[in-house]
């Protein structure tokens, strides 16, 4: 997965947050059109390493899905 996505040969990557964090070096180098992330509430912690990787994604659009209502602000 990482090898083909870093060469721009992959249109869709479906992964877990843990795998994304482990493979972030290759995935962050790809200019994605859109990133859709499920369970956004897992990224809430400020010290969360996965959150830091996700915020570095080069993408035109970000869509976050959650089963809980956003309580404070849209920036979460």
């Amino acid at each position: 997965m990482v090898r083909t996505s870093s060469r721009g040969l992959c249109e869709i990557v479906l992964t877990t947050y843990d795998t994304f964090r482990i493979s972030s070096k290759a995935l962050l180098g790809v200019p994605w059109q859109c990133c859709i992330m499920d369970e956004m509430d897992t990224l809430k912690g400020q010290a969360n390493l996965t959150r830091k990787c996700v915020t570095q994604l080069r993408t035109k659009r970000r869509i976050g899905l959650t089963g809980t209502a956003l309580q404070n602000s849209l920036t979460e």
Side-chain angles (χ1 to χ4, degrees), residues 1-2 8 12-13 20 22 29 31 34-35 40 42 44 51 54 59-60 62 65 74:
M1 174 208 46
V2 174
I12 296 173
V13 172
F20 172 78
I22 292 166
C34 182
C35 179
M40 288 296 295
T42 61
K44 255 184 143 176
R51 179 182 177 170
V54 166
T59 181
K60 293 181 180 183
R62 296 172 194 259
L65 307 174
L74 292 176

Side-chain angles (χ1 to χ4, degrees), residues 1-37 50 52-60 62:
M1 174 208 46
V2 174
R3 189 173 294 171
T4 57
S5 63
S6 63
R7 287 191 225 147
L9 302 174
C10 192
E11 292 184 22
I12 296 173
V13 172
L14 179 63
T15 186
T16 64
Y17 284 121
D18 288 334
T19 304
F20 172 78
R21 189 183 72 251
I22 292 166
S23 305
S24 65
K25 189 173 185 178
L27 294 173
L28 291 175
V30 178
W32 300 101
Q33 290 293 316
C34 182
C35 179
I36 302 171
M37 293 166 278
T50 305
K52 290 178 183 178
C53 292
V54 166
T55 57
Q56 294 175 14
L57 273 171
R58 293 176 19 203
T59 181
K60 293 181 180 183
R62 296 172 194 259

